[in-house]
Amino acid sequence: MARKTHRKRSHFNWVQSEDPSLSHQDIMDSANTLEFDPKEHQHLRYNPLRDSWVLVSAHRMKRPWQGQVEKPPEDDIPRHDPSNPLCPGSTRANGEVNPDYDSTFLFENDFPALQQDAPDPGSEHHPLFQTKAARGVCKVMCFHPWSDVTLPLMQLNEVRKVVDKWADLIEELGASYPWVQIFENKGAMMGCSNPHPHCQVWASSFLPNEPGLAERSQRDFLQKHGEPMLVQYARLEAQRKERVVVDNDDWLAVVPYWATWPFQTLLLPRRHVLRLPDLTAQERDSLASIMKRLLTKYDNLFEISFPYSMGWHGAPTGSYLTEDMSHWQLHAHYYPPLLRSATVRKFMVGYEMLAQEQRDLTPEQAADRLRSLPEEHCKLGEKKDDAGLD
């Protein structure tokens, strides 16, 4: 009997492997005597925006990595490459020549996923073979004329111009379309084919899946709890601080409690704001500042140009502009794939594709690592060292 009691104080997995004759109840009793540690014990976390659960298994970070190793991002990108179709003065695939722009530059995507004049596919009445019309426009927006800079390396006033252009696009395209998706794929690892600072803007005649989920979840939360979900969430995260990476008077960036990607962040205004055009001049200034700080920390984590996909979610537009959308809160998602180093990424395969999302370190661990990094960009430090400056 003493031998069995001793085993119940041991780790759950050790009990199971040491004596397979133990009953399921014995094993569960053993697990219940342990003190839960989120860094050591797997658990589920709820994502209220997607109404789904994430499996957190931080102890898996101890396993040796023998999987795929990525090629580090290029570090010698020329400032101007005439063969790069995003550079000033370059000729694009459709034969058009870019102007010699010196700030942001917007143009129609030469290979758009959505077109305004697509024909209607017609109706299909069978529930297993449904189709709907899909129309829209796709644009490309360059942030800067130089190919060798990214948002964290741009001047603050240059980042502010990006923010203003984003807001203008939501207002302009949102007058006609119910959803305007601004997104940036940064780095070849995220499918970016042109090493030049830019984003894409897709306006669609329909509400896509992810915003549709966020729409339902935020509406339900407000009805049940009397406060917009992400307004309450931002206030609670600001109080708890353990997942805050950077913040200022108007914004905070956190590794969300339900994060899936290793160093995923959620950028939130402190004030209740529905859409980018609703931001005040002060909030736009502070948004440019916090974006630059957050992305500098990303680059400093592994001292590379950190890959990610990011995008803005705000209240739907078009016909929704006349509806009560007070359940919405403006926010931006950052989804970086890197996990252990500049060359080891997180893969969403197998269990994640067939069962549910899973992550290998806790959001609190990820936030602590990012928070502890300097806010001076590693490249700027290198330039000082090369110049012999302190």
Side-chain angles (χ1 to χ4, degrees), residues 313-332:
H313 280 183
T317 49
S319 60
Y320 293 94
L321 290 170
T322 58
E323 296 185 18
D324 179 9
M325 304 303 286
S326 57
H327 51 285
W328 268 89
Q329 171 71 325
L330 176 69
H331 58 283

Side-chain angles (χ1 to χ4, degrees), residues 70-77 187-189 303-307 338 342-343:
E70 307 291 336
K71 181 181 177 182
E74 290 184 42
D75 201 30
D76 56 349
I77 297 170
M189 194 179 296
E303 297 189 348
I304 59 162
S305 185
F306 205 67
L338 293 178
T343 59

Side-chain angles (χ1 to χ4, degrees), residues 95-348:
E96 293 188 16
V97 178
N98 295 335
D100 290 323
Y101 63 93
D102 58 5
S103 181
T104 61
F105 169 52
L106 183 74
F107 62 92
E108 299 283 339
N109 195 315
D110 298 329
F111 302 98
L114 292 165
Q115 297 174 319
Q116 292 176 293
D117 56 355
D120 194 314
S123 59
E124 170 60 69
H125 300 294
H126 196 287
L128 298 180
F129 302 98
Q130 299 186 52
T131 56
K132 287 184 179 180
R135 299 186 180 94
V137 294
C138 298
K139 296 178 181 289
V140 177
M141 173 184 159
C142 295
F143 298 152
H144 197 280
W146 296 353
S147 294
D148 61 344
V149 301
T150 54
L151 281 169
L153 291 169
M154 288 166 55
Q155 298 298 315
L156 203 55
N157 67 308
E158 295 172 332
V159 181
R160 167 62 194 269
K161 290 178 181 177
V162 171
V163 171
D164 286 339
K165 192 63 178 178
W166 283 342
D168 291 345
L169 285 166
I170 295 293
E171 195 158 38
E172 173 193 335
L173 297 173
S176 304
Y177 292 99
W179 190 255
V180 181
Q181 184 61 65
I182 295 170
F183 65 98
E184 179 192 6
N185 294 327
K186 179 170 177 268
M189 194 179 296
M190 301 309 292
C192 179
S193 57
N194 290 302
H196 191 93
H198 71 285
C199 71
Q200 297 190 55
V201 185
W202 294 13
S204 61
S205 61
F206 54 91
L207 193 61
N209 293 339
E210 291 299 316
L213 272 174
E215 157 68 20
R216 292 191 295 274
S217 296
Q218 290 179 97
R219 186 181 293 275
D220 289 348
F221 189 94
L222 179 63
Q223 290 175 349
K224 292 177 182 177
H225 302 284
E227 184 178 16
M229 176 199 295
L230 293 180
V231 173
Q232 183 179 123
Y233 179 68
R235 185 177 69 252
L236 294 173
E237 287 286 28
Q239 293 170 359
R240 300 185 182 197
K241 301 184 184 303
E242 60 184 332
R243 284 173 294 275
V244 176
V245 177
V246 286
D247 64 344
N248 58 30
D249 288 344
D250 301 306
W251 298 85
L252 73 161
V254 304
V255 178
Y257 182 78
W258 52 82
T260 298
W261 293 95
F263 294 97
Q264 175 180 335
T265 51
L266 181 65
L267 182 56
L268 294 159
R270 294 181 185 269
R271 182 177 69 90
H272 187 197
V273 181
L274 298 186
R275 304 175 181 92
L276 277 168
D278 300 332
L279 296 174
T280 66
Q282 167 59 34
E283 287 168 334
R284 295 184 188 202
D285 283 341
S286 55
L287 173 56
S289 174
I290 200 168
M291 284 172 55
K292 187 173 169 65
R293 292 169 60 201
L294 173 63
L295 299 180
T296 294
K297 285 181 177 287
Y298 269 161
D299 283 5
N300 286 345
L301 180 61
F302 299 129
E303 297 189 348
I304 59 162
S305 185
F306 205 67
Y308 58 75
S309 282
M310 72 79 63
W312 284 98
H313 280 183
T317 49
S319 60
Y320 293 94
L321 290 170
T322 58
E323 296 185 18
D324 179 9
M325 304 303 286
S326 57
H327 51 285
W328 268 89
Q329 171 71 325
L330 176 69
H331 58 283
H333 296 282
Y334 285 85
Y335 299 132
L338 293 178
L339 173 60
R340 295 169 178 246
S341 68
T343 59
V344 176
R345 64 174 298 171
K346 166 71 177 176
F347 288 92
M348 291 291 182

